[in-house]
Amino acid sequence: MPEFTVVIPARNEGAYLRRTLEAIGRQSVLPAEVIVVDNASTDQTAALARAWGARVLECTSVGVSPARQLGLEAARTAWVASTDADSLPDCRWIERLRGAAPGRVALYGPLCFSGTPQLQLVSRAAYRSFLEVCVRIGRPNLAGANMAFSRQAAHLAGGYPDVGALEDVMLGQALARLGSVAYVPGALVQTSPRRLESGVLPFLWRHVRNLTGHTQNYFPGPE
């Protein structure tokens, strides 16, 4: 079974990052390394990551795409798993991704919002439907909060494109042109509901823009 490096881009994520790292520390199969890419933070993001034991890289080019790319270039294992600094991978996340890796170039799993059981249930069902639509229209949606890929295949695909948004989805689609990509239903990641702070309709509209391929200002403000 391949070893995994977990890469987490983070910009001013001091309020969330500790819980994400603790969730990774509770994995049934631990990653070989955790890389936190500090994207020009002005808070305690980098200090928190170092105190936990993550390898911290400084990315001075502000933007999630260069941060993810720097983490990819620094990874040394056969596989790279990606999540976000406000997300909570299930305790068997790495285990389930690793079990699905042989014969594939990339993997992705379900997402839901953390919070009340009702919010988790509704958001997980809605996201599953969203993923099904993406597959049907030929645009598989590999989200940076819950995806993994062969490091070699990612380099062959050209890495993350230098865009303002959708860099994860675009890399996933490039990987799908190289080989088999699989959905791993048991590899759940919960993510912060802060994306709903501007309202449900603006959140849904951003995902409509996702489906139509917009790569600028997908999520307003710094990552």
Side-chain angles (χ1 to χ4, degrees), residues 6-11 13-22 24 33-39 41 43-58 85:
V6 175
V7 173
I8 306 170
R11 176 175 169 82
E13 294 285 9
Y16 292 92
L17 182 59
R18 188 190 305 276
R19 292 186 66 212
T20 299
L21 293 172
E22 288 173 350
I24 293 172
E33 186 173 41
V34 176
I35 296 175
V36 173
V37 183
D38 179 29
N39 197 202
S41 297
D43 68 355
Q44 296 301 305
T45 292
L48 284 170
R50 289 191 181 96
W52 182 84
R55 179 182 172 198
V56 177
L57 304 178
E58 301 291 341

PDB file of all heavy atoms in Angstrom, residues 6-11 13-22 24 33-39 41 43-58 85:
ATOM      1  N   VAL A   6      -0.097  14.415   3.566  1.00  0.00           N
ATOM      2  CA  VAL A   6      -1.259  15.306   3.597  1.00  0.00           C
ATOM      3  C   VAL A   6      -0.774  16.740   3.435  1.00  0.00           C
ATOM      4  O   VAL A   6       0.122  17.189   4.161  1.00  0.00           O
ATOM      5  CB  VAL A   6      -2.054  15.158   4.907  1.00  0.00           C
ATOM      6  CG1 VAL A   6      -3.192  16.182   4.958  1.00  0.00           C
ATOM      7  CG2 VAL A   6      -2.607  13.752   5.039  1.00  0.00           C
ATOM      8  N   VAL A   7      -1.354  17.455   2.472  1.00  0.00           N
ATOM      9  CA  VAL A   7      -1.006  18.852   2.217  1.00  0.00           C
ATOM     10  C   VAL A   7      -2.196  19.733   2.568  1.00  0.00           C
ATOM     11  O   VAL A   7      -3.322  19.482   2.104  1.00  0.00           O
ATOM     12  CB  VAL A   7      -0.594  19.075   0.752  1.00  0.00           C
ATOM     13  CG1 VAL A   7      -0.399  20.566   0.466  1.00  0.00           C
ATOM     14  CG2 VAL A   7       0.687  18.310   0.435  1.00  0.00           C
ATOM     15  N   ILE A   8      -1.944  20.763   3.372  1.00  0.00           N
ATOM     16  CA  ILE A   8      -2.992  21.685   3.807  1.00  0.00           C
ATOM     17  C   ILE A   8      -2.557  23.118   3.507  1.00  0.00           C
ATOM     18  O   ILE A   8      -1.612  23.617   4.126  1.00  0.00           O
ATOM     19  CB  ILE A   8      -3.254  21.563   5.320  1.00  0.00           C
ATOM     20  CG1 ILE A   8      -3.554  20.112   5.708  1.00  0.00           C
ATOM     21  CG2 ILE A   8      -4.393  22.484   5.750  1.00  0.00           C
ATOM     22  CD1 ILE A   8      -3.578  19.886   7.208  1.00  0.00           C
ATOM     23  N   PRO A   9      -3.179  23.811   2.555  1.00  0.00           N
ATOM     24  CA  PRO A   9      -2.894  25.235   2.373  1.00  0.00           C
ATOM     25  C   PRO A   9      -3.617  26.024   3.452  1.00  0.00           C
ATOM     26  O   PRO A   9      -4.750  25.687   3.829  1.00  0.00           O
ATOM     27  CB  PRO A   9      -3.478  25.521   0.983  1.00  0.00           C
ATOM     28  CG  PRO A   9      -4.595  24.553   0.839  1.00  0.00           C
ATOM     29  CD  PRO A   9      -4.198  23.323   1.617  1.00  0.00           C
ATOM     30  N   ALA A  10      -2.991  27.066   3.968  1.00  0.00           N
ATOM     31  CA  ALA A  10      -3.614  27.802   5.072  1.00  0.00           C
ATOM     32  C   ALA A  10      -3.214  29.268   5.030  1.00  0.00           C
ATOM     33  O   ALA A  10      -2.021  29.587   4.954  1.00  0.00           O
ATOM     34  CB  ALA A  10      -3.202  27.193   6.407  1.00  0.00           C
ATOM     35  N   ARG A  11      -4.215  30.126   5.088  1.00  0.00           N
ATOM     36  CA  ARG A  11      -3.970  31.568   5.183  1.00  0.00           C
ATOM     37  C   ARG A  11      -4.832  32.109   6.323  1.00  0.00           C
ATOM     38  O   ARG A  11      -6.059  32.108   6.247  1.00  0.00           O
ATOM     39  CB  ARG A  11      -4.304  32.275   3.878  1.00  0.00           C
ATOM     40  CG  ARG A  11      -4.162  33.796   3.937  1.00  0.00           C
ATOM     41  CD  ARG A  11      -4.399  34.425   2.580  1.00  0.00           C
ATOM     42  NE  ARG A  11      -4.514  35.867   2.656  1.00  0.00           N
ATOM     43  CZ  ARG A  11      -3.479  36.719   2.702  1.00  0.00           C
ATOM     44  NH1 ARG A  11      -2.239  36.231   2.680  1.00  0.00           N
ATOM     45  NH2 ARG A  11      -3.664  38.015   2.773  1.00  0.00           N
ATOM     46  N   GLU A  13      -5.542  30.867   9.323  1.00  0.00           N
ATOM     47  CA  GLU A  13      -6.466  29.828   9.740  1.00  0.00           C
ATOM     48  C   GLU A  13      -6.241  29.398  11.192  1.00  0.00           C
ATOM     49  O   GLU A  13      -6.554  28.277  11.580  1.00  0.00           O
ATOM     50  CB  GLU A  13      -6.335  28.601   8.830  1.00  0.00           C
ATOM     51  CG  GLU A  13      -6.762  28.841   7.404  1.00  0.00           C
ATOM     52  CD  GLU A  13      -8.276  28.918   7.240  1.00  0.00           C
ATOM     53  OE1 GLU A  13      -8.984  28.957   8.267  1.00  0.00           O
ATOM     54  OE2 GLU A  13      -8.734  28.931   6.095  1.00  0.00           O
ATOM     55  N   GLY A  14      -5.703  30.315  11.999  1.00  0.00           N
ATOM     56  CA  GLY A  14      -5.418  29.977  13.383  1.00  0.00           C
ATOM     57  C   GLY A  14      -6.626  29.512  14.173  1.00  0.00           C
ATOM     58  O   GLY A  14      -6.502  28.719  15.107  1.00  0.00           O
ATOM     59  N   ALA A  15      -7.808  29.982  13.808  1.00  0.00           N
ATOM     60  CA  ALA A  15      -9.017  29.613  14.540  1.00  0.00           C
ATOM     61  C   ALA A  15      -9.478  28.195  14.230  1.00  0.00           C
ATOM     62  O   ALA A  15     -10.255  27.622  15.004  1.00  0.00           O
ATOM     63  CB  ALA A  15     -10.139  30.611  14.212  1.00  0.00           C
ATOM     64  N   TYR A  16      -9.027  27.633  13.117  1.00  0.00           N
ATOM     65  CA  TYR A  16      -9.517  26.332  12.677  1.00  0.00           C
ATOM     66  C   TYR A  16      -8.439  25.249  12.615  1.00  0.00           C
ATOM     67  O   TYR A  16      -8.732  24.067  12.778  1.00  0.00           O
ATOM     68  CB  TYR A  16     -10.132  26.445  11.265  1.00  0.00           C
ATOM     69  CG  TYR A  16     -11.399  27.250  11.202  1.00  0.00           C
ATOM     70  CD1 TYR A  16     -11.363  28.610  10.935  1.00  0.00           C
ATOM     71  CD2 TYR A  16     -12.637  26.644  11.394  1.00  0.00           C
ATOM     72  CE1 TYR A  16     -12.533  29.352  10.860  1.00  0.00           C
ATOM     73  CE2 TYR A  16     -13.807  27.371  11.322  1.00  0.00           C
ATOM     74  CZ  TYR A  16     -13.752  28.731  11.062  1.00  0.00           C
ATOM     75  OH  TYR A  16     -14.900  29.466  10.989  1.00  0.00           O
ATOM     76  N   LEU A  17      -7.205  25.623  12.346  1.00  0.00           N
ATOM     77  CA  LEU A  17      -6.172  24.665  11.960  1.00  0.00           C
ATOM     78  C   LEU A  17      -5.896  23.611  13.021  1.00  0.00           C
ATOM     79  O   LEU A  17      -5.649  22.436  12.703  1.00  0.00           O
ATOM     80  CB  LEU A  17      -4.881  25.400  11.600  1.00  0.00           C
ATOM     81  CG  LEU A  17      -3.709  24.533  11.135  1.00  0.00           C
ATOM     82  CD1 LEU A  17      -4.087  23.732   9.892  1.00  0.00           C
ATOM     83  CD2 LEU A  17      -2.486  25.412  10.865  1.00  0.00           C
ATOM     84  N   ARG A  18      -5.922  23.990  14.289  1.00  0.00           N
ATOM     85  CA  ARG A  18      -5.603  23.021  15.346  1.00  0.00           C
ATOM     86  C   ARG A  18      -6.523  21.804  15.278  1.00  0.00           C
ATOM     87  O   ARG A  18      -6.074  20.659  15.378  1.00  0.00           O
ATOM     88  CB  ARG A  18      -5.700  23.684  16.719  1.00  0.00           C
ATOM     89  CG  ARG A  18      -5.198  22.772  17.857  1.00  0.00           C
ATOM     90  CD  ARG A  18      -5.540  23.356  19.215  1.00  0.00           C
ATOM     91  NE  ARG A  18      -5.049  24.699  19.363  1.00  0.00           N
ATOM     92  CZ  ARG A  18      -3.821  25.024  19.735  1.00  0.00           C
ATOM     93  NH1 ARG A  18      -2.944  24.056  19.973  1.00  0.00           N
ATOM     94  NH2 ARG A  18      -3.460  26.284  19.865  1.00  0.00           N
ATOM     95  N   ARG A  19      -7.820  22.034  15.109  1.00  0.00           N
ATOM     96  CA  ARG A  19      -8.773  20.920  15.048  1.00  0.00           C
ATOM     97  C   ARG A  19      -8.516  20.045  13.819  1.00  0.00           C
ATOM     98  O   ARG A  19      -8.648  18.818  13.889  1.00  0.00           O
ATOM     99  CB  ARG A  19     -10.211  21.447  15.028  1.00  0.00           C
ATOM    100  CG  ARG A  19     -10.656  22.101  16.321  1.00  0.00           C
ATOM    101  CD  ARG A  19     -12.136  22.443  16.256  1.00  0.00           C
ATOM    102  NE  ARG A  19     -12.958  21.242  16.182  1.00  0.00           N
ATOM    103  CZ  ARG A  19     -14.115  21.166  15.545  1.00  0.00           C
ATOM    104  NH1 ARG A  19     -14.574  22.225  14.876  1.00  0.00           N
ATOM    105  NH2 ARG A  19     -14.804  20.041  15.542  1.00  0.00           N
ATOM    106  N   THR A  20      -8.147  20.644  12.705  1.00  0.00           N
ATOM    107  CA  THR A  20      -7.839  19.869  11.503  1.00  0.00           C
ATOM    108  C   THR A  20      -6.638  18.963  11.750  1.00  0.00           C
ATOM    109  O   THR A  20      -6.669  17.771  11.418  1.00  0.00           O
ATOM    110  CB  THR A  20      -7.562  20.806  10.326  1.00  0.00           C
ATOM    111  OG1 THR A  20      -8.720  21.597  10.081  1.00  0.00           O
ATOM    112  CG2 THR A  20      -7.204  20.035   9.073  1.00  0.00           C
ATOM    113  N   LEU A  21      -5.598  19.513  12.319  1.00  0.00           N
ATOM    114  CA  LEU A  21      -4.401  18.720  12.602  1.00  0.00           C
ATOM    115  C   LEU A  21      -4.692  17.622  13.625  1.00  0.00           C
ATOM    116  O   LEU A  21      -4.177  16.500  13.503  1.00  0.00           O
ATOM    117  CB  LEU A  21      -3.287  19.627  13.090  1.00  0.00           C
ATOM    118  CG  LEU A  21      -2.732  20.615  12.039  1.00  0.00           C
ATOM    119  CD1 LEU A  21      -1.774  21.605  12.678  1.00  0.00           C
ATOM    120  CD2 LEU A  21      -2.049  19.860  10.905  1.00  0.00           C
ATOM    121  N   GLU A  22      -5.511  17.916  14.617  1.00  0.00           N
ATOM    122  CA  GLU A  22      -5.869  16.889  15.602  1.00  0.00           C
ATOM    123  C   GLU A  22      -6.635  15.745  14.934  1.00  0.00           C
ATOM    124  O   GLU A  22      -6.442  14.573  15.272  1.00  0.00           O
ATOM    125  CB  GLU A  22      -6.695  17.510  16.725  1.00  0.00           C
ATOM    126  CG  GLU A  22      -5.877  18.409  17.650  1.00  0.00           C
ATOM    127  CD  GLU A  22      -6.728  19.158  18.654  1.00  0.00           C
ATOM    128  OE1 GLU A  22      -7.983  19.127  18.512  1.00  0.00           O
ATOM    129  OE2 GLU A  22      -6.169  19.771  19.580  1.00  0.00           O
ATOM    130  N   ILE A  24      -6.280  14.760  11.858  1.00  0.00           N
ATOM    131  CA  ILE A  24      -5.291  13.974  11.111  1.00  0.00           C
ATOM    132  C   ILE A  24      -4.468  13.111  12.064  1.00  0.00           C
ATOM    133  O   ILE A  24      -4.111  11.972  11.747  1.00  0.00           O
ATOM    134  CB  ILE A  24      -4.404  14.903  10.275  1.00  0.00           C
ATOM    135  CG1 ILE A  24      -5.252  15.550   9.166  1.00  0.00           C
ATOM    136  CG2 ILE A  24      -3.229  14.145   9.656  1.00  0.00           C
ATOM    137  CD1 ILE A  24      -4.544  16.630   8.399  1.00  0.00           C
ATOM    138  N   GLU A  33       3.737  12.143   6.343  1.00  0.00           N
ATOM    139  CA  GLU A  33       4.089  13.522   6.656  1.00  0.00           C
ATOM    140  C   GLU A  33       2.867  14.405   6.461  1.00  0.00           C
ATOM    141  O   GLU A  33       2.003  14.124   5.623  1.00  0.00           O
ATOM    142  CB  GLU A  33       5.232  14.004   5.754  1.00  0.00           C
ATOM    143  CG  GLU A  33       5.763  15.385   6.116  1.00  0.00           C
ATOM    144  CD  GLU A  33       7.008  15.768   5.329  1.00  0.00           C
ATOM    145  OE1 GLU A  33       7.038  15.486   4.116  1.00  0.00           O
ATOM    146  OE2 GLU A  33       7.930  16.355   5.926  1.00  0.00           O
ATOM    147  N   VAL A  34       2.794  15.477   7.228  1.00  0.00           N
ATOM    148  CA  VAL A  34       1.772  16.505   7.055  1.00  0.00           C
ATOM    149  C   VAL A  34       2.490  17.812   6.726  1.00  0.00           C
ATOM    150  O   VAL A  34       3.376  18.254   7.462  1.00  0.00           O
ATOM    151  CB  VAL A  34       0.917  16.688   8.320  1.00  0.00           C
ATOM    152  CG1 VAL A  34      -0.085  17.834   8.133  1.00  0.00           C
ATOM    153  CG2 VAL A  34       0.197  15.394   8.669  1.00  0.00           C
ATOM    154  N   ILE A  35       2.139  18.407   5.591  1.00  0.00           N
ATOM    155  CA  ILE A  35       2.723  19.677   5.154  1.00  0.00           C
ATOM    156  C   ILE A  35       1.654  20.752   5.237  1.00  0.00           C
ATOM    157  O   ILE A  35       0.584  20.631   4.625  1.00  0.00           O
ATOM    158  CB  ILE A  35       3.255  19.578   3.716  1.00  0.00           C
ATOM    159  CG1 ILE A  35       4.400  18.575   3.631  1.00  0.00           C
ATOM    160  CG2 ILE A  35       3.710  20.945   3.215  1.00  0.00           C
ATOM    161  CD1 ILE A  35       4.905  18.338   2.209  1.00  0.00           C
ATOM    162  N   VAL A  36       1.924  21.784   5.997  1.00  0.00           N
ATOM    163  CA  VAL A  36       1.057  22.964   6.033  1.00  0.00           C
ATOM    164  C   VAL A  36       1.760  24.062   5.249  1.00  0.00           C
ATOM    165  O   VAL A  36       2.890  24.437   5.568  1.00  0.00           O
ATOM    166  CB  VAL A  36       0.777  23.424   7.477  1.00  0.00           C
ATOM    167  CG1 VAL A  36       0.021  24.756   7.473  1.00  0.00           C
ATOM    168  CG2 VAL A  36      -0.028  22.370   8.223  1.00  0.00           C
ATOM    169  N   VAL A  37       1.101  24.546   4.207  1.00  0.00           N
ATOM    170  CA  VAL A  37       1.666  25.618   3.397  1.00  0.00           C
ATOM    171  C   VAL A  37       1.072  26.927   3.890  1.00  0.00           C
ATOM    172  O   VAL A  37      -0.104  27.220   3.676  1.00  0.00           O
ATOM    173  CB  VAL A  37       1.368  25.416   1.900  1.00  0.00           C
ATOM    174  CG1 VAL A  37       2.043  26.526   1.091  1.00  0.00           C
ATOM    175  CG2 VAL A  37       1.852  24.048   1.435  1.00  0.00           C
ATOM    176  N   ASP A  38       1.893  27.706   4.575  1.00  0.00           N
ATOM    177  CA  ASP A  38       1.454  28.988   5.134  1.00  0.00           C
ATOM    178  C   ASP A  38       1.454  30.036   4.029  1.00  0.00           C
ATOM    179  O   ASP A  38       2.508  30.426   3.529  1.00  0.00           O
ATOM    180  CB  ASP A  38       2.380  29.400   6.271  1.00  0.00           C
ATOM    181  CG  ASP A  38       1.983  30.732   6.872  1.00  0.00           C
ATOM    182  OD1 ASP A  38       0.785  31.055   6.830  1.00  0.00           O
ATOM    183  OD2 ASP A  38       2.877  31.453   7.361  1.00  0.00           O
ATOM    184  N   ASN A  39       0.265  30.491   3.664  1.00  0.00           N
ATOM    185  CA  ASN A  39       0.105  31.388   2.525  1.00  0.00           C
ATOM    186  C   ASN A  39       0.062  32.844   2.995  1.00  0.00           C
ATOM    187  O   ASN A  39      -0.989  33.487   2.985  1.00  0.00           O
ATOM    188  CB  ASN A  39      -1.156  31.011   1.749  1.00  0.00           C
ATOM    189  CG  ASN A  39      -1.219  31.586   0.353  1.00  0.00           C
ATOM    190  OD1 ASN A  39      -2.297  31.714  -0.203  1.00  0.00           O
ATOM    191  ND2 ASN A  39      -0.086  31.948  -0.225  1.00  0.00           N
ATOM    192  N   SER A  41       0.312  34.212   5.978  1.00  0.00           N
ATOM    193  CA  SER A  41      -0.576  34.489   7.111  1.00  0.00           C
ATOM    194  C   SER A  41      -0.023  35.602   7.993  1.00  0.00           C
ATOM    195  O   SER A  41       1.194  35.785   8.092  1.00  0.00           O
ATOM    196  CB  SER A  41      -0.758  33.220   7.963  1.00  0.00           C
ATOM    197  OG  SER A  41      -1.389  32.198   7.239  1.00  0.00           O
ATOM    198  N   ASP A  43      -1.464  35.729  11.213  1.00  0.00           N
ATOM    199  CA  ASP A  43      -1.846  35.262  12.541  1.00  0.00           C
ATOM    200  C   ASP A  43      -0.906  34.140  12.977  1.00  0.00           C
ATOM    201  O   ASP A  43       0.233  34.056  12.511  1.00  0.00           O
ATOM    202  CB  ASP A  43      -3.318  34.828  12.553  1.00  0.00           C
ATOM    203  CG  ASP A  43      -3.552  33.566  11.711  1.00  0.00           C
ATOM    204  OD1 ASP A  43      -2.610  33.089  11.044  1.00  0.00           O
ATOM    205  OD2 ASP A  43      -4.689  33.051  11.727  1.00  0.00           O
ATOM    206  N   GLN A  44      -1.368  33.264  13.838  1.00  0.00           N
ATOM    207  CA  GLN A  44      -0.527  32.213  14.413  1.00  0.00           C
ATOM    208  C   GLN A  44      -0.579  30.890  13.637  1.00  0.00           C
ATOM    209  O   GLN A  44      -0.200  29.843  14.170  1.00  0.00           O
ATOM    210  CB  GLN A  44      -0.946  31.966  15.865  1.00  0.00           C
ATOM    211  CG  GLN A  44      -0.727  33.154  16.778  1.00  0.00           C
ATOM    212  CD  GLN A  44       0.738  33.559  16.806  1.00  0.00           C
ATOM    213  OE1 GLN A  44       1.610  32.747  17.090  1.00  0.00           O
ATOM    214  NE2 GLN A  44       1.018  34.817  16.514  1.00  0.00           N
ATOM    215  N   THR A  45      -1.029  30.937  12.393  1.00  0.00           N
ATOM    216  CA  THR A  45      -1.167  29.707  11.602  1.00  0.00           C
ATOM    217  C   THR A  45       0.121  28.897  11.580  1.00  0.00           C
ATOM    218  O   THR A  45       0.131  27.697  11.892  1.00  0.00           O
ATOM    219  CB  THR A  45      -1.603  30.054  10.169  1.00  0.00           C
ATOM    220  OG1 THR A  45      -2.937  30.556  10.194  1.00  0.00           O
ATOM    221  CG2 THR A  45      -1.550  28.831   9.266  1.00  0.00           C
ATOM    222  N   ALA A  46       1.219  29.507  11.187  1.00  0.00           N
ATOM    223  CA  ALA A  46       2.489  28.782  11.057  1.00  0.00           C
ATOM    224  C   ALA A  46       2.970  28.259  12.406  1.00  0.00           C
ATOM    225  O   ALA A  46       3.445  27.111  12.511  1.00  0.00           O
ATOM    226  CB  ALA A  46       3.544  29.683  10.431  1.00  0.00           C
ATOM    227  N   ALA A  47       2.857  29.055  13.461  1.00  0.00           N
ATOM    228  CA  ALA A  47       3.311  28.632  14.788  1.00  0.00           C
ATOM    229  C   ALA A  47       2.502  27.445  15.287  1.00  0.00           C
ATOM    230  O   ALA A  47       3.057  26.499  15.871  1.00  0.00           O
ATOM    231  CB  ALA A  47       3.206  29.795  15.772  1.00  0.00           C
ATOM    232  N   LEU A  48       1.188  27.454  15.062  1.00  0.00           N
ATOM    233  CA  LEU A  48       0.341  26.342  15.468  1.00  0.00           C
ATOM    234  C   LEU A  48       0.737  25.058  14.740  1.00  0.00           C
ATOM    235  O   LEU A  48       0.809  23.983  15.347  1.00  0.00           O
ATOM    236  CB  LEU A  48      -1.123  26.666  15.173  1.00  0.00           C
ATOM    237  CG  LEU A  48      -1.826  27.630  16.124  1.00  0.00           C
ATOM    238  CD1 LEU A  48      -3.184  28.032  15.554  1.00  0.00           C
ATOM    239  CD2 LEU A  48      -1.999  26.995  17.499  1.00  0.00           C
ATOM    240  N   ALA A  49       0.988  25.186  13.446  1.00  0.00           N
ATOM    241  CA  ALA A  49       1.356  24.008  12.651  1.00  0.00           C
ATOM    242  C   ALA A  49       2.682  23.425  13.124  1.00  0.00           C
ATOM    243  O   ALA A  49       2.829  22.206  13.251  1.00  0.00           O
ATOM    244  CB  ALA A  49       1.420  24.377  11.177  1.00  0.00           C
ATOM    245  N   ARG A  50       3.656  24.286  13.364  1.00  0.00           N
ATOM    246  CA  ARG A  50       4.966  23.811  13.831  1.00  0.00           C
ATOM    247  C   ARG A  50       4.857  23.156  15.208  1.00  0.00           C
ATOM    248  O   ARG A  50       5.479  22.120  15.473  1.00  0.00           O
ATOM    249  CB  ARG A  50       5.961  24.963  13.872  1.00  0.00           C
ATOM    250  CG  ARG A  50       6.387  25.465  12.502  1.00  0.00           C
ATOM    251  CD  ARG A  50       7.569  26.413  12.603  1.00  0.00           C
ATOM    252  NE  ARG A  50       7.951  26.911  11.295  1.00  0.00           N
ATOM    253  CZ  ARG A  50       7.542  28.064  10.783  1.00  0.00           C
ATOM    254  NH1 ARG A  50       6.757  28.872  11.510  1.00  0.00           N
ATOM    255  NH2 ARG A  50       7.908  28.444   9.578  1.00  0.00           N
ATOM    256  N   ALA A  51       4.076  23.751  16.099  1.00  0.00           N
ATOM    257  CA  ALA A  51       3.917  23.204  17.441  1.00  0.00           C
ATOM    258  C   ALA A  51       3.288  21.822  17.398  1.00  0.00           C
ATOM    259  O   ALA A  51       3.613  20.956  18.212  1.00  0.00           O
ATOM    260  CB  ALA A  51       3.075  24.152  18.294  1.00  0.00           C
ATOM    261  N   TRP A  52       2.391  21.607  16.447  1.00  0.00           N
ATOM    262  CA  TRP A  52       1.750  20.295  16.311  1.00  0.00           C
ATOM    263  C   TRP A  52       2.714  19.263  15.750  1.00  0.00           C
ATOM    264  O   TRP A  52       2.610  18.073  16.050  1.00  0.00           O
ATOM    265  CB  TRP A  52       0.523  20.412  15.408  1.00  0.00           C
ATOM    266  CG  TRP A  52      -0.227  19.131  15.260  1.00  0.00           C
ATOM    267  CD1 TRP A  52      -1.174  18.627  16.113  1.00  0.00           C
ATOM    268  CD2 TRP A  52      -0.080  18.170  14.203  1.00  0.00           C
ATOM    269  NE1 TRP A  52      -1.630  17.407  15.648  1.00  0.00           N
ATOM    270  CE2 TRP A  52      -0.977  17.108  14.482  1.00  0.00           C
ATOM    271  CE3 TRP A  52       0.712  18.109  13.058  1.00  0.00           C
ATOM    272  CZ2 TRP A  52      -1.100  15.997  13.651  1.00  0.00           C
ATOM    273  CZ3 TRP A  52       0.590  17.006  12.233  1.00  0.00           C
ATOM    274  CH2 TRP A  52      -0.305  15.963  12.523  1.00  0.00           C
ATOM    275  N   GLY A  53       3.665  19.694  14.941  1.00  0.00           N
ATOM    276  CA  GLY A  53       4.628  18.778  14.346  1.00  0.00           C
ATOM    277  C   GLY A  53       4.563  18.686  12.843  1.00  0.00           C
ATOM    278  O   GLY A  53       5.226  17.840  12.233  1.00  0.00           O
ATOM    279  N   ALA A  54       3.777  19.571  12.226  1.00  0.00           N
ATOM    280  CA  ALA A  54       3.708  19.583  10.763  1.00  0.00           C
ATOM    281  C   ALA A  54       4.949  20.234  10.177  1.00  0.00           C
ATOM    282  O   ALA A  54       5.627  21.036  10.828  1.00  0.00           O
ATOM    283  CB  ALA A  54       2.469  20.334  10.299  1.00  0.00           C
ATOM    284  N   ARG A  55       5.260  19.888   8.956  1.00  0.00           N
ATOM    285  CA  ARG A  55       6.303  20.571   8.196  1.00  0.00           C
ATOM    286  C   ARG A  55       5.670  21.815   7.578  1.00  0.00           C
ATOM    287  O   ARG A  55       4.667  21.720   6.863  1.00  0.00           O
ATOM    288  CB  ARG A  55       6.840  19.648   7.115  1.00  0.00           C
ATOM    289  CG  ARG A  55       7.922  20.241   6.216  1.00  0.00           C
ATOM    290  CD  ARG A  55       8.301  19.202   5.184  1.00  0.00           C
ATOM    291  NE  ARG A  55       9.181  19.711   4.160  1.00  0.00           N
ATOM    292  CZ  ARG A  55       9.374  19.110   2.987  1.00  0.00           C
ATOM    293  NH1 ARG A  55       8.748  17.975   2.705  1.00  0.00           N
ATOM    294  NH2 ARG A  55      10.196  19.612   2.104  1.00  0.00           N
ATOM    295  N   VAL A  56       6.199  22.968   7.872  1.00  0.00           N
ATOM    296  CA  VAL A  56       5.610  24.230   7.423  1.00  0.00           C
ATOM    297  C   VAL A  56       6.439  24.816   6.285  1.00  0.00           C
ATOM    298  O   VAL A  56       7.659  24.973   6.399  1.00  0.00           O
ATOM    299  CB  VAL A  56       5.509  25.246   8.579  1.00  0.00           C
ATOM    300  CG1 VAL A  56       4.951  26.577   8.078  1.00  0.00           C
ATOM    301  CG2 VAL A  56       4.620  24.693   9.690  1.00  0.00           C
ATOM    302  N   LEU A  57       5.759  25.123   5.191  1.00  0.00           N
ATOM    303  CA  LEU A  57       6.382  25.780   4.049  1.00  0.00           C
ATOM    304  C   LEU A  57       5.797  27.180   3.923  1.00  0.00           C
ATOM    305  O   LEU A  57       4.594  27.378   4.106  1.00  0.00           O
ATOM    306  CB  LEU A  57       6.117  25.003   2.758  1.00  0.00           C
ATOM    307  CG  LEU A  57       6.534  23.538   2.727  1.00  0.00           C
ATOM    308  CD1 LEU A  57       6.145  22.916   1.392  1.00  0.00           C
ATOM    309  CD2 LEU A  57       8.030  23.393   2.963  1.00  0.00           C
ATOM    310  N   GLU A  58       6.628  28.143   3.600  1.00  0.00           N
ATOM    311  CA  GLU A  58       6.171  29.512   3.431  1.00  0.00           C
ATOM    312  C   GLU A  58       5.931  29.793   1.951  1.00  0.00           C
ATOM    313  O   GLU A  58       6.839  29.660   1.130  1.00  0.00           O
ATOM    314  CB  GLU A  58       7.205  30.495   3.989  1.00  0.00           C
ATOM    315  CG  GLU A  58       7.525  30.298   5.467  1.00  0.00           C
ATOM    316  CD  GLU A  58       6.360  30.664   6.368  1.00  0.00           C
ATOM    317  OE1 GLU A  58       5.457  31.401   5.905  1.00  0.00           O
ATOM    318  OE2 GLU A  58       6.352  30.218   7.535  1.00  0.00           O
ATOM    319  N   ALA A  85      -7.765  23.771   5.731  1.00  0.00           N
ATOM    320  CA  ALA A  85      -7.402  24.076   7.109  1.00  0.00           C
ATOM    321  C   ALA A  85      -8.609  24.225   8.028  1.00  0.00           C
ATOM    322  O   ALA A  85      -8.437  24.381   9.239  1.00  0.00           O
ATOM    323  CB  ALA A  85      -6.558  25.349   7.149  1.00  0.00           C
TER     324      ALA A  85
END
